[in-house]
Amino acid sequence: MQLSPGKAMEDRAAACNEIHVGIAELKIARQPDRLITLGLGSCVGVALHDPATMIGGLLHIMLPESSQFNNVNKPAKFADLGIPLLVSEIRRSGGKINNLRAKIAGGAQMFSGLNEKFVLNIGERNICVTRKTLKSLGIRIVAEEVGGRRGRTMILDTVTGQVHIRTVGVRLKVI
Amino acid sequence: MTEHGGIPEFQIDALQEVSNIGLGNAVTALAELLNKKVDISVPKAYFIELERVFSLVGGLEEAVACVNLILEGDISGTVMFIFTDKSAFKLVDMLTGQETGTTVELDAMGASAVQEIGNILTGSFINAIGGMTGLVMQTTVPMYAFDMMGAILSASIVASGHYDDKVLVIETLFFQENDHIKGHFFLLPETGALNKLFEAIGIPAEC
């Protein structure tokens, strides 16, 4: 049997579960599992990782702020509610808030030929409120892959804290 | 009576029927453009969770071309046409009279060809509905994206102001049998807009 250079990585990928985080959802995982969220457009993915306990959390938000809505039954839809919820879920699972490092991705402008009636810059506003909320919680953003025009898939490795970014027609990127 | 998020069954039926007429007109236009027979499935109106809209199309990471237009006037809402990447390439080949398989990516020309198809389809769709109901509708300039389905669909749903957990979607699959072209049509009406439509076709808005 021939061993390819990527064999060790493949073995590890096979040994861990890949847990899917849907739109307006958040999930927590422990090593060796990975968290994945597919197709972030103007949405923003927030990955939090505690390297000491190897606990990670991933959140997929759609909108910046919940304050303009009366009826909020999915807090993970909003940056301002989803991020604190993600932090408290990580703490409940044994992670320490002081250890947490954040990596964020998404917030793209997907459409060209925009007209003024379209709600502009929703991606930008998502990024902005995400940064602000993380800052208010004292969590440092160590890497980000935001803005631009491309949709992204985001994978958090709870062992290393690395985040893999997948885009259409571009090689996998690690942040 | 089965309810679809407060929309009674008979109104859902009416929506499907109106869409059927509008889309019948739209595919006739497309068939003329391509000089080939184009079929549609019976339009379905759903009142469903946002996440389930995605599963109507396919994989979240699948590369698709999307044309997005905004409806204004008596009925406001968003219209989306989604083609899988391969279908979009074939459409461009058919439109430009090239052999199938010539187009393998969408350059600016290809993108504007797909955009134009969306424009024509939407135009004939709203003309048919306007003619039938007497309602006035206009579309805005089409917007275009080629990327992951999940990224495009979520961005356009959010941008069109559908923030609720459930959305009303009118969906149709249209296809060109021989060339395996598949496209999705979505209409996301604004909630208030529907009552005008029901009134115009003589169905009580509430009963």
Side-chain angles (χ1 to χ4, degrees), chain B residues 23-97:
Chain B
L23 284 159
N25 205 39
V27 290
T28 308
L30 184 62
E32 274 168 19
L33 195 69
L34 301 175
N35 204 16
K36 295 198 178 192
K37 187 172 177 284
V38 182
D39 293 308
I40 52 165
S41 65
V42 177
K44 289 202 177 81
Y46 308 90
F47 189 73
I48 57 174
E49 278 108 40
L50 215 57
E51 301 84 66
R52 286 187 48 212
V53 181
F54 302 98
S55 57
L56 295 174
V57 188
L60 288 167
E61 281 190 301
E62 207 179 311
V64 296
C66 175
V67 183
N68 185 318
L69 299 104
I70 294 173
L71 286 186
E72 290 171 344
D74 287 335
I75 299 176
S76 43
T78 304
V79 171
M80 282 184 271
F81 288 97
I82 298 177
F83 302 96
T84 60
D85 53 354
K86 291 195 180 70
S87 295
F89 301 157
K90 284 178 193 162
L91 275 173
V92 173
D93 283 338
M94 284 162 83
L95 263 185
T96 51

Side-chain angles (χ1 to χ4, degrees), chain A residues 73 77 112-113 150 153 166, chain B residues 61 143-144 146-147 163 165:
Chain A
N73 46 17
K77 194 190 260 188
S112 59
R150 310 256 46 173
T153 281
R166 204 150 64 201
Chain B
E61 281 190 301
M143 287 169 286
Y144 169 81
F146 181 85
D147 211 303
Y163 300 134
D165 296 331

Side-chain angles (χ1 to χ4, degrees), chain A residues 135-147:
Chain A
K135 196 176 177 192
S136 73
L137 293 165
I139 299 168
R140 198 160 55 95
I141 299 176
V142 292
E144 53 179 38
E145 176 72 21
V146 295

